[in-house]
Amino acid sequence: MAGNETSVLWFRRDLRCGDHPAMAAAGERADRVLALFVLDDRLLGPAGAPRRTFLFRCLRALSEQLDGRLLIVRGDPVEAVPSVARAVSASTVHVTTDTGPYGRRRDDAVCRLLADQGVELIGTGTPYAVSPGRVRKPDGTPYRVFTPFRRVWGDHGWRQPSASDPAEIAWVDPDAVRGGPASVPVPADDDLGETRLPAAGERAGLDRWADFRTDGLAEYDRKRDRPALDGTSRLSVYLHWGCLHPRTLLADLAGDQGEGANAFRRELAWRDFLADVLWHRPESARRNLDRRFDGMTHDTGAGAYERLARWQAGQTGFPFVDAGMRQLAREGWMHNRVRMIVASFLVKDLHLPWWWGARHFMSALVDGDLASNQHNWQWVAGSGTDAAPYFRVFNPVTQGRRFDPDGDYVRRYVPELRTIEGKAVHEPWKAKDGVPEDYPEPMVDHAEERQEALRRYGEISGR
């Protein structure tokens, strides 16, 4: 440890104290560390109420872990971080490296301004098990397909969890900081209406992980596609905000070769893969990876926006789709299998651009993650990664009957249909008395729209 030095630990998507390499690096480098979080309106604005509120609750939990020694400021980090570093005469600013497009641009700008002050910006670790850009083909090019990526990802491996301990660090009292941006309290929660979010913070994430390992992991591979069951980990929000690091989970799974553990590792690999794609192709957050799809014809105009609104409200007349959209509104989360179905319906039954749906998800999801969200939407649209052909069009009825065979998921979120028993709930228009009068008729004919989707695909593919 150097003598009489101060570091700043700038928290972003790493809102925890355990297994925190940047925290460990800051403590090793300096005698005192100032914990900092910057409320960046460029990120808060598009986030939507569920994700903002979960962030605010995570900040409260983190501040409590640090005994209140978390300085929170609001503004542009490019101005705020150098100002805070100057106010405490910091020699270094430590971060968990941000690999997203905006984060990379922001950090480059912060790094230049800090360098002008003689301060070093030090990035240690990322939010991923394997940092984006590390896993490459033998010729040095990135992978475009998941399966070979996953094999090399597993062979590459990951570091052991970092031994970070906030109790071993002398934290700077934020009340003693003078001359930098004004300290602000954690903002009040947004008005979520009836939306209910999971508990926030590192402790809640660790508790959820412990519960899942005990009660869900062994059957994860068999139950994860059944939305009526509690078969998923529900850890995505904790991973997104860095309340947990995937390396912590992988270390706990070491030696477990059960089908559930292997399936869960595949999901962590998929998360890393999509972050890797974004690292190499940052423009893919907004544009088609497969540029042929730039020529795809989409519906626009007032009618298209009316169909979008019905989809958003869960009023399409297709119960499995509507249940998913209503779950999203109620919980700020949607089961992964159902995400694929509602996405396919928007793109291939309603013929609307995938980025309309992606934008709504990013606003509504508590676990909205740019890399995973945008590229999963592109995967469904056929314009993205992997062998996901555009002509694979999910039938919302057959998908519902397959993955919600008893209809329990639909009846949970679509109360208008609770009188229809069993799998018949997926086709309420076939009920003896017809569709309940308070539930809409199907807004499209799926068979016809499937053919229209294939016709439009043929225009860009030559098929």
Side-chain angles (χ1 to χ4, degrees):
M1 181 181 291
N4 199 32
E5 287 195 13
T6 300
S7 288
V8 173
L9 175 59
W10 176 17
F11 286 93
R12 287 98 70 92
R13 283 177 50 196
D14 51 355
L15 304 180
R16 66 185 185 279
C17 292
D19 191 5
H20 198 305
M23 179 183 291
E28 292 170 359
R29 184 71 176 255
D31 300 277
R32 297 171 303 280
V33 178
L34 173 67
L36 170 69
F37 188 89
V38 182
L39 294 165
D40 183 351
D41 288 317
R42 292 190 62 181
L43 296 177
L44 292 174
R51 200 154 75 257
R52 282 195 303 267
T53 294
F54 192 85
L55 165 63
F56 299 157
R57 293 174 183 177
C58 286
L59 289 175
R60 294 186 194 105
L62 178 62
S63 181
E64 184 176 342
Q65 285 181 281
L66 298 174
D67 295 327
R69 292 167 297 185
L70 175 64
L71 174 64
I72 299 175
V73 302
R74 189 158 200 155
D76 184 348
V78 175
E79 300 173 355
V81 174
S83 180
V84 169
R86 187 164 50 248
V88 297
S89 301
S91 57
T92 54
V93 173
H94 292 262
V95 294
T96 298
T97 303
D98 192 331
T99 61
Y102 169 70
R104 290 162 71 176
R105 295 193 303 271
R106 174 202 60 207
D107 289 356
D108 285 346
V110 171
C111 183
R112 290 193 296 271
L113 290 176
L114 286 174
D116 291 342
Q117 299 174 193
V119 179
E120 184 179 6
L121 180 67
I122 300 175
T124 309
T126 70
Y128 303 98
V130 179
S131 297
R134 291 277 180 86
V135 175
R136 295 175 181 260
K137 298 178 183 179
D139 65 1
T141 59
Y143 284 98
R144 284 285 304 273
V145 177
F146 171 66
T147 300
F149 173 92
R150 179 174 61 84
R151 288 196 293 266
V152 177
W153 176 87
D155 292 340
H156 180 283
W158 35 83
R159 297 180 184 274
Q160 288 299 305
S162 173
S164 55
D165 184 354
E168 296 180 355
I169 295 176
W171 297 98
V172 175
D173 182 353
D175 291 336
V177 177
R178 299 287 184 271
S183 174
V184 299
V186 176
D189 292 352
D190 285 276
D191 181 2
L192 298 178
E194 296 182 356
T195 303
R196 296 294 177 264
L197 303 183
E202 181 178 13
R203 183 69 266 162
L206 289 169
D207 288 345
R208 176 57 195 167
W209 171 232
D211 290 344
F212 175 67
R213 287 183 66 198
T214 300
D215 298 327
L217 181 63
E219 297 183 298
Y220 178 69
D221 60 313
R222 293 190 295 108
K223 291 185 175 181
R224 60 183 299 270
D225 281 327
R226 295 283 300 278
L229 307 177
D230 186 18
T232 63
S233 72
R234 294 281 189 135
L235 291 170
S236 55
V237 66
Y238 300 110
L239 290 168
H240 172 72
W241 285 114
C243 303
L244 298 176
H245 196 284
R247 179 180 48 227
T248 306
L249 314 185
L250 288 163
D252 287 344
L253 293 177
D256 187 342
Q257 293 302 317
E259 289 300 318
N262 286 332
F264 188 74
R265 270 190 287 265
R266 282 195 298 272
E267 292 305 302
L268 292 177
W270 183 257
R271 180 175 181 267
D272 276 19
F273 172 61
L274 298 182
D276 189 77
V277 173
L278 187 61
W279 168 265
H280 291 288
R281 297 283 301 277
E283 78 283 1
S284 64
R286 302 287 181 263
R287 304 181 65 178
N288 296 309
L289 264 171
D290 184 342
R291 299 307 299 275
R292 292 181 305 157
F293 281 78
D294 292 352
M296 175 67 76
T297 301
H298 302 290
D299 288 359
T300 57
Y305 282 103
E306 289 172 4
R307 295 196 296 277
L308 173 68
R310 286 188 62 178
W311 174 82
Q312 291 172 329
Q315 294 287 341
T316 69
F318 287 88
F320 203 43
V321 173
D322 292 341
M325 298 307 296
R326 296 186 194 190
Q327 181 183 29
L328 177 61
R330 184 188 300 183
E331 302 174 10
W333 184 85
M334 188 192 301
H335 187 277
N336 184 63
R337 168 60 58 175
V338 186
R339 294 188 198 198
M340 289 190 286
I341 308 310
V342 304
S344 178
F345 187 84
L346 181 86
V347 174
K348 297 175 182 178
D349 284 78
L350 302 184
H351 314 297
L352 303 181
W354 65 260
W355 51 91
W356 285 15
R359 186 183 305 122
H360 178 69
F361 268 30
M362 285 298 288
S363 175
L365 285 168
V366 68
D367 64 352
D369 179 271
L370 186 68
S372 294
N373 186 66
Q374 309 303 88
H375 291 128
N376 278 323
W377 269 92
Q378 291 213 49
W379 183 88
V380 170
S383 63
T385 61
D386 231 344
Y390 184 83
F391 51 83
R392 181 172 61 199
V393 182
F394 289 118
N395 183 317
V397 174
T398 58
Q399 289 288 309
R401 291 164 67 93
R402 177 181 178 185
F403 295 107
D404 186 30
D406 301 319
D408 293 337
Y409 177 73
V410 165
R411 281 186 291 274
R412 184 183 306 163
Y413 294 102
V414 187
E416 306 97 300
L417 303 179
R418 285 178 182 169
T419 60
I420 303 178
E421 298 180 354
K423 62 185 179 183
V425 76
H426 295 292
E427 298 175 281
W429 50 89
K430 291 185 178 180
K432 181 177 64 174
D433 298 324
V435 177
E437 64 179 38
D438 54 351
Y439 186 71
E441 295 279 351
M443 62 186 294
V444 296
D445 182 309
H446 171 71
E448 291 181 2
E449 302 309 333
R450 178 180 183 276
Q451 291 303 314
E452 174 62 14
L454 296 179
R455 185 192 68 77
R456 297 188 189 199
Y457 176 63
E459 292 179 344
I460 65 169
S461 67
R463 299 192 180 190

